[in-house]
Amino acid sequence: MGSDALLDVLLAGGRRGERLTHVERLPAREGRTAPWPAWADPDLVTGYRALGVERPWVHQVEAAEAVHAGRHTVLATSTGSGKSLAFWLPALTATRSPSPGLRRASTLYLCPTKALAADQLAGLDRLLRAADVRDVRPSTCDGDTDATERRWVQEHADVVLTNPDLLHFSLLPGHRRWARLLRGLRYVVVDECHAFRGVFGAHVSAVLRRLRRVAAHYGAHPTFVLASATTADPALGAARLLGVPTDDVVAVTEDASPLGRKTFALWQPPELPGLAPVLGEPERTEVVGIGRGDGGAPDPRGGEDLPDRGEDGAG
């Protein structure tokens, strides 16, 4: 059913036309693609193509190029626009193509929820299977990870998917156990970065600055990649979160993914009896018929004054 037909159903053929206060229609948008970067790992490109990504969107390539060049980058495009490709392509390429004289590159992925980390790990597993890549070792690590698995992550994982809590309570205080990961730390991904705001965001910002100092202690200076679909000022928000000047952050905000035609309708629901029309609060009613005579108490039945009672309760 098209949007116009759905509107007609809502309006009951015009019988509820007064309920519709405004309609805004946005036209469809064609997707714009770009060639794969020359530096991209061929096996990973093969894997993405096997998953249906023949060519990346322009914003994905723009962000991936900035990340590959070592620039802190924030990608702020719509939900479902493929933001993860922009950071996994340079991160996994760096892990599989170590630069001469440099340690094997590692990546730390941070997000607000365990569910999102698990979803990203599942997506990475699909990509690596499709690419037939077996020399990249991703793993989640959080408060529920047992000691044996955590030791394996510390000693072997190339990509660690976790959250700021583990970074604050475990990884940074026990950084010696994570020395291998920190020495090779090339990229730090902060997904859903709009969630880190207010007091919580201030705390996460302090943790990320500690991470930068600890990584520098081990000789690493990672590039930070932030992603969000709902941030208002991407460059400024990312710079404040990382503690760097705004000019040090590349903001990619022009979405090149395709978009279907959209219709927005503002609907005024009917007022319910007994509720205020604006706030929905119960309407106040004035109580009348309660009299008070000289020395009398009000009669709740709205008529006669009741005589005062003495201290002993007698009338």
Side-chain angles (χ1 to χ4, degrees):
M1 179 182 293
S3 58
D4 291 337
L6 180 58
L7 274 177
D8 187 64
V9 171
L10 291 174
L11 296 175
R15 294 190 300 275
R16 292 197 294 263
E18 72 281 358
R19 301 293 178 212
L20 189 65
T21 61
H22 181 73
V23 177
E24 187 75 20
R25 293 180 174 85
L26 301 181
R29 181 183 66 206
E30 295 290 335
R32 294 180 291 112
T33 62
W36 291 96
W39 48 261
D41 183 90
D43 293 334
L44 294 176
V45 172
T46 299
Y48 275 116
R49 284 175 170 159
L51 295 176
V53 184
E54 189 61 32
R55 284 165 60 95
W57 307 122
V58 171
H59 67 268
Q60 292 174 320
V61 175
E62 183 181 351
E65 292 282 9
V67 173
H68 179 71
R71 300 288 308 279
H72 300 316
T73 304
V74 56
L75 179 57
T77 53
S78 62
T79 301
S81 60
K83 291 185 287 293
S84 60
L85 183 149
F87 49 78
W88 289 135
L89 183 64
L92 300 180
T93 295
T95 299
R96 302 202 70 221
S97 307
S99 302
L102 296 179
R103 295 180 178 273
R104 182 178 174 91
S106 58
T107 299
L108 184 63
Y109 173 91
L110 304 173
C111 63
T113 64
K114 292 171 55 177
L116 182 55
D119 182 68
Q120 284 288 333
L121 179 62
L124 277 177
D125 287 339
R126 287 193 299 270
L127 171 62
L128 296 177
R129 285 196 302 269
D132 196 24
V133 170
R134 304 181 182 181
D135 57 354
V136 177
R137 301 178 293 268
S139 179
T140 56
C141 186
D142 50 53
D144 293 332
T145 305
D146 60 48
T148 301
E149 186 176 354
R150 186 170 296 194
R151 281 195 299 271
W152 184 92
V153 174
Q154 293 166 347
E155 296 172 1
H156 302 289
D158 299 307
V159 178
V160 177
L161 302 97
T162 185
N163 53 67
D165 290 330
L166 183 129
L167 187 61
H168 171 59
F169 286 108
S170 179
L171 194 153
L172 292 176
H175 58 85
R176 291 179 180 86
R177 293 189 295 271
W178 297 87
R180 180 199 61 84
L181 177 78
L182 292 169
R183 288 192 183 101
L185 191 59
R186 187 78 57 86
Y187 299 107
V188 177
V189 178
V190 184
D191 206 355
E192 300 295 330
C193 63
H194 61 272
F196 306 121
R197 62 185 185 274
V199 175
F200 178 47
H203 291 172
V204 172
S205 177
V207 171
L208 294 179
R209 297 176 198 208
R210 286 170 53 204
L211 173 61
R212 291 172 58 204
R213 292 196 298 270
V214 172
H217 172 75
Y218 288 95
H221 301 278
T223 298
F224 283 76
V225 192
L226 295 86
S228 173
T230 59
T231 183
D233 191 337
L236 180 61
R240 288 176 174 174
L241 194 60
L242 301 179
V244 301
T246 306
D247 293 340
D248 290 353
V249 178
V250 176
V252 178
T253 59
E254 186 175 351
D255 194 339
S257 63
L259 184 67
R261 180 175 179 267
K262 291 185 176 181
T263 300
F264 295 88
L266 299 184
W267 182 268
Q268 176 64 48
E271 298 174 8
L272 298 179
L275 295 180
V278 177
L279 299 179
E281 297 179 350
E283 294 181 352
R284 295 182 179 181
T285 58
E286 183 179 355
V287 179
V288 296
I290 297 180
R292 180 185 295 272
D294 293 337
D299 182 1
R301 291 167 296 181
E304 304 172 355
D305 290 341
L306 299 179
D308 285 338
R309 297 179 179 272
E311 294 182 359
D312 58 356

PDB file of all heavy atoms in Angstrom, residues 201-221:
ATOM      1  N   GLY A 201      28.740  10.777  29.369  1.00  0.00           N
ATOM      2  CA  GLY A 201      29.668  11.120  28.303  1.00  0.00           C
ATOM      3  C   GLY A 201      30.951  11.730  28.828  1.00  0.00           C
ATOM      4  O   GLY A 201      32.043  11.472  28.299  1.00  0.00           O
ATOM      5  N   ALA A 202      30.847  12.560  29.893  1.00  0.00           N
ATOM      6  CA  ALA A 202      32.044  13.150  30.484  1.00  0.00           C
ATOM      7  C   ALA A 202      32.949  12.056  31.063  1.00  0.00           C
ATOM      8  O   ALA A 202      34.180  12.116  30.930  1.00  0.00           O
ATOM      9  CB  ALA A 202      31.662  14.155  31.563  1.00  0.00           C
ATOM     10  N   HIS A 203      32.340  11.055  31.684  1.00  0.00           N
ATOM     11  CA  HIS A 203      33.129   9.949  32.232  1.00  0.00           C
ATOM     12  C   HIS A 203      33.801   9.150  31.116  1.00  0.00           C
ATOM     13  O   HIS A 203      34.985   8.786  31.206  1.00  0.00           O
ATOM     14  CB  HIS A 203      32.236   9.035  33.063  1.00  0.00           C
ATOM     15  CG  HIS A 203      31.755   9.670  34.330  1.00  0.00           C
ATOM     16  ND1 HIS A 203      30.818   9.098  35.163  1.00  0.00           N
ATOM     17  CD2 HIS A 203      32.074  10.855  34.915  1.00  0.00           C
ATOM     18  CE1 HIS A 203      30.587   9.883  36.197  1.00  0.00           C
ATOM     19  NE2 HIS A 203      31.328  10.957  36.062  1.00  0.00           N
ATOM     20  N   VAL A 204      33.047   8.854  30.054  1.00  0.00           N
ATOM     21  CA  VAL A 204      33.623   8.106  28.927  1.00  0.00           C
ATOM     22  C   VAL A 204      34.747   8.909  28.274  1.00  0.00           C
ATOM     23  O   VAL A 204      35.774   8.354  27.881  1.00  0.00           O
ATOM     24  CB  VAL A 204      32.525   7.754  27.899  1.00  0.00           C
ATOM     25  CG1 VAL A 204      33.137   7.151  26.641  1.00  0.00           C
ATOM     26  CG2 VAL A 204      31.523   6.782  28.511  1.00  0.00           C
ATOM     27  N   SER A 205      34.571  10.216  28.172  1.00  0.00           N
ATOM     28  CA  SER A 205      35.621  11.062  27.605  1.00  0.00           C
ATOM     29  C   SER A 205      36.901  10.949  28.419  1.00  0.00           C
ATOM     30  O   SER A 205      38.008  10.848  27.854  1.00  0.00           O
ATOM     31  CB  SER A 205      35.146  12.519  27.553  1.00  0.00           C
ATOM     32  OG  SER A 205      36.168  13.364  27.066  1.00  0.00           O
ATOM     33  N   ALA A 206      36.775  10.951  29.734  1.00  0.00           N
ATOM     34  CA  ALA A 206      37.965  10.803  30.581  1.00  0.00           C
ATOM     35  C   ALA A 206      38.615   9.436  30.376  1.00  0.00           C
ATOM     36  O   ALA A 206      39.848   9.317  30.346  1.00  0.00           O
ATOM     37  CB  ALA A 206      37.589  11.000  32.047  1.00  0.00           C
ATOM     38  N   VAL A 207      37.798   8.397  30.209  1.00  0.00           N
ATOM     39  CA  VAL A 207      38.337   7.057  29.990  1.00  0.00           C
ATOM     40  C   VAL A 207      39.082   6.986  28.645  1.00  0.00           C
ATOM     41  O   VAL A 207      40.157   6.382  28.544  1.00  0.00           O
ATOM     42  CB  VAL A 207      37.205   6.016  30.044  1.00  0.00           C
ATOM     43  CG1 VAL A 207      37.703   4.645  29.593  1.00  0.00           C
ATOM     44  CG2 VAL A 207      36.636   5.926  31.454  1.00  0.00           C
ATOM     45  N   LEU A 208      38.520   7.603  27.613  1.00  0.00           N
ATOM     46  CA  LEU A 208      39.179   7.591  26.307  1.00  0.00           C
ATOM     47  C   LEU A 208      40.505   8.359  26.352  1.00  0.00           C
ATOM     48  O   LEU A 208      41.481   7.974  25.699  1.00  0.00           O
ATOM     49  CB  LEU A 208      38.257   8.198  25.249  1.00  0.00           C
ATOM     50  CG  LEU A 208      36.989   7.409  24.944  1.00  0.00           C
ATOM     51  CD1 LEU A 208      36.152   8.125  23.886  1.00  0.00           C
ATOM     52  CD2 LEU A 208      37.318   5.997  24.483  1.00  0.00           C
ATOM     53  N   ARG A 209      40.581   9.423  27.117  1.00  0.00           N
ATOM     54  CA  ARG A 209      41.837  10.160  27.244  1.00  0.00           C
ATOM     55  C   ARG A 209      42.871   9.330  27.996  1.00  0.00           C
ATOM     56  O   ARG A 209      44.064   9.352  27.653  1.00  0.00           O
ATOM     57  CB  ARG A 209      41.588  11.499  27.944  1.00  0.00           C
ATOM     58  CG  ARG A 209      40.666  12.403  27.132  1.00  0.00           C
ATOM     59  CD  ARG A 209      40.321  13.692  27.847  1.00  0.00           C
ATOM     60  NE  ARG A 209      39.133  14.309  27.245  1.00  0.00           N
ATOM     61  CZ  ARG A 209      38.890  15.594  27.254  1.00  0.00           C
ATOM     62  NH1 ARG A 209      39.722  16.426  27.828  1.00  0.00           N
ATOM     63  NH2 ARG A 209      37.797  16.077  26.689  1.00  0.00           N
ATOM     64  N   ARG A 210      42.415   8.592  29.001  1.00  0.00           N
ATOM     65  CA  ARG A 210      43.327   7.667  29.683  1.00  0.00           C
ATOM     66  C   ARG A 210      43.825   6.610  28.722  1.00  0.00           C
ATOM     67  O   ARG A 210      45.009   6.235  28.745  1.00  0.00           O
ATOM     68  CB  ARG A 210      42.614   7.010  30.862  1.00  0.00           C
ATOM     69  CG  ARG A 210      42.415   7.922  32.066  1.00  0.00           C
ATOM     70  CD  ARG A 210      41.489   7.279  33.085  1.00  0.00           C
ATOM     71  NE  ARG A 210      41.911   5.942  33.466  1.00  0.00           N
ATOM     72  CZ  ARG A 210      41.096   5.020  33.940  1.00  0.00           C
ATOM     73  NH1 ARG A 210      39.792   5.276  34.067  1.00  0.00           N
ATOM     74  NH2 ARG A 210      41.556   3.837  34.290  1.00  0.00           N
ATOM     75  N   LEU A 211      42.928   6.106  27.868  1.00  0.00           N
ATOM     76  CA  LEU A 211      43.322   5.095  26.885  1.00  0.00           C
ATOM     77  C   LEU A 211      44.410   5.643  25.960  1.00  0.00           C
ATOM     78  O   LEU A 211      45.383   4.938  25.651  1.00  0.00           O
ATOM     79  CB  LEU A 211      42.113   4.647  26.071  1.00  0.00           C
ATOM     80  CG  LEU A 211      42.393   3.713  24.897  1.00  0.00           C
ATOM     81  CD1 LEU A 211      43.018   2.410  25.370  1.00  0.00           C
ATOM     82  CD2 LEU A 211      41.121   3.443  24.103  1.00  0.00           C
ATOM     83  N   ARG A 212      44.262   6.874  25.524  1.00  0.00           N
ATOM     84  CA  ARG A 212      45.276   7.470  24.649  1.00  0.00           C
ATOM     85  C   ARG A 212      46.617   7.566  25.364  1.00  0.00           C
ATOM     86  O   ARG A 212      47.669   7.294  24.768  1.00  0.00           O
ATOM     87  CB  ARG A 212      44.818   8.846  24.180  1.00  0.00           C
ATOM     88  CG  ARG A 212      43.630   8.809  23.220  1.00  0.00           C
ATOM     89  CD  ARG A 212      43.089  10.208  22.946  1.00  0.00           C
ATOM     90  NE  ARG A 212      44.117  11.068  22.392  1.00  0.00           N
ATOM     91  CZ  ARG A 212      44.109  12.388  22.471  1.00  0.00           C
ATOM     92  NH1 ARG A 212      43.128  13.004  23.125  1.00  0.00           N
ATOM     93  NH2 ARG A 212      45.057  13.087  21.933  1.00  0.00           N
ATOM     94  N   ARG A 213      46.607   7.940  26.642  1.00  0.00           N
ATOM     95  CA  ARG A 213      47.867   8.057  27.384  1.00  0.00           C
ATOM     96  C   ARG A 213      48.516   6.695  27.593  1.00  0.00           C
ATOM     97  O   ARG A 213      49.739   6.542  27.439  1.00  0.00           O
ATOM     98  CB  ARG A 213      47.618   8.746  28.725  1.00  0.00           C
ATOM     99  CG  ARG A 213      47.226  10.210  28.626  1.00  0.00           C
ATOM    100  CD  ARG A 213      47.368  10.915  29.963  1.00  0.00           C
ATOM    101  NE  ARG A 213      46.491  10.351  30.985  1.00  0.00           N
ATOM    102  CZ  ARG A 213      45.258  10.761  31.216  1.00  0.00           C
ATOM    103  NH1 ARG A 213      44.728  11.741  30.490  1.00  0.00           N
ATOM    104  NH2 ARG A 213      44.525  10.215  32.169  1.00  0.00           N
ATOM    105  N   VAL A 214      47.713   5.695  27.945  1.00  0.00           N
ATOM    106  CA  VAL A 214      48.267   4.358  28.172  1.00  0.00           C
ATOM    107  C   VAL A 214      48.793   3.775  26.864  1.00  0.00           C
ATOM    108  O   VAL A 214      49.865   3.145  26.831  1.00  0.00           O
ATOM    109  CB  VAL A 214      47.210   3.444  28.812  1.00  0.00           C
ATOM    110  CG1 VAL A 214      47.705   2.006  28.885  1.00  0.00           C
ATOM    111  CG2 VAL A 214      46.850   3.935  30.212  1.00  0.00           C
ATOM    112  N   ALA A 215      48.057   3.954  25.771  1.00  0.00           N
ATOM    113  CA  ALA A 215      48.530   3.467  24.474  1.00  0.00           C
ATOM    114  C   ALA A 215      49.845   4.137  24.092  1.00  0.00           C
ATOM    115  O   ALA A 215      50.766   3.476  23.571  1.00  0.00           O
ATOM    116  CB  ALA A 215      47.471   3.714  23.406  1.00  0.00           C
ATOM    117  N   ALA A 216      49.959   5.441  24.339  1.00  0.00           N
ATOM    118  CA  ALA A 216      51.210   6.151  24.040  1.00  0.00           C
ATOM    119  C   ALA A 216      52.356   5.591  24.872  1.00  0.00           C
ATOM    120  O   ALA A 216      53.509   5.552  24.414  1.00  0.00           O
ATOM    121  CB  ALA A 216      51.034   7.641  24.288  1.00  0.00           C
ATOM    122  N   HIS A 217      52.073   5.153  26.101  1.00  0.00           N
ATOM    123  CA  HIS A 217      53.100   4.537  26.946  1.00  0.00           C
ATOM    124  C   HIS A 217      53.680   3.293  26.279  1.00  0.00           C
ATOM    125  O   HIS A 217      54.872   2.981  26.449  1.00  0.00           O
ATOM    126  CB  HIS A 217      52.496   4.189  28.304  1.00  0.00           C
ATOM    127  CG  HIS A 217      53.391   3.380  29.189  1.00  0.00           C
ATOM    128  ND1 HIS A 217      54.477   3.919  29.849  1.00  0.00           N
ATOM    129  CD2 HIS A 217      53.362   2.054  29.519  1.00  0.00           C
ATOM    130  CE1 HIS A 217      55.088   2.984  30.543  1.00  0.00           C
ATOM    131  NE2 HIS A 217      54.430   1.834  30.374  1.00  0.00           N
ATOM    132  N   TYR A 218      52.840   2.588  25.517  1.00  0.00           N
ATOM    133  CA  TYR A 218      53.303   1.381  24.816  1.00  0.00           C
ATOM    134  C   TYR A 218      53.733   1.677  23.381  1.00  0.00           C
ATOM    135  O   TYR A 218      53.965   0.755  22.600  1.00  0.00           O
ATOM    136  CB  TYR A 218      52.211   0.314  24.829  1.00  0.00           C
ATOM    137  CG  TYR A 218      52.014  -0.316  26.188  1.00  0.00           C
ATOM    138  CD1 TYR A 218      51.038   0.156  27.055  1.00  0.00           C
ATOM    139  CD2 TYR A 218      52.824  -1.360  26.618  1.00  0.00           C
ATOM    140  CE1 TYR A 218      50.865  -0.411  28.307  1.00  0.00           C
ATOM    141  CE2 TYR A 218      52.657  -1.936  27.861  1.00  0.00           C
ATOM    142  CZ  TYR A 218      51.675  -1.449  28.708  1.00  0.00           C
ATOM    143  OH  TYR A 218      51.513  -2.017  29.951  1.00  0.00           O
ATOM    144  N   GLY A 219      53.794   2.948  23.016  1.00  0.00           N
ATOM    145  CA  GLY A 219      54.273   3.332  21.694  1.00  0.00           C
ATOM    146  C   GLY A 219      53.223   3.353  20.612  1.00  0.00           C
ATOM    147  O   GLY A 219      53.561   3.424  19.427  1.00  0.00           O
ATOM    148  N   ALA A 220      51.945   3.321  20.987  1.00  0.00           N
ATOM    149  CA  ALA A 220      50.862   3.324  20.005  1.00  0.00           C
ATOM    150  C   ALA A 220      50.119   4.653  20.054  1.00  0.00           C
ATOM    151  O   ALA A 220      49.932   5.235  21.118  1.00  0.00           O
ATOM    152  CB  ALA A 220      49.889   2.175  20.270  1.00  0.00           C
ATOM    153  N   HIS A 221      49.722   5.102  18.891  1.00  0.00           N
ATOM    154  CA  HIS A 221      48.943   6.334  18.777  1.00  0.00           C
ATOM    155  C   HIS A 221      47.759   6.051  17.855  1.00  0.00           C
ATOM    156  O   HIS A 221      47.795   6.342  16.660  1.00  0.00           O
ATOM    157  CB  HIS A 221      49.813   7.468  18.229  1.00  0.00           C
ATOM    158  CG  HIS A 221      51.008   7.762  19.080  1.00  0.00           C
ATOM    159  ND1 HIS A 221      50.942   8.553  20.205  1.00  0.00           N
ATOM    160  CD2 HIS A 221      52.300   7.319  18.991  1.00  0.00           C
ATOM    161  CE1 HIS A 221      52.134   8.629  20.767  1.00  0.00           C
ATOM    162  NE2 HIS A 221      52.976   7.883  20.062  1.00  0.00           N
TER     163      HIS A 221
END
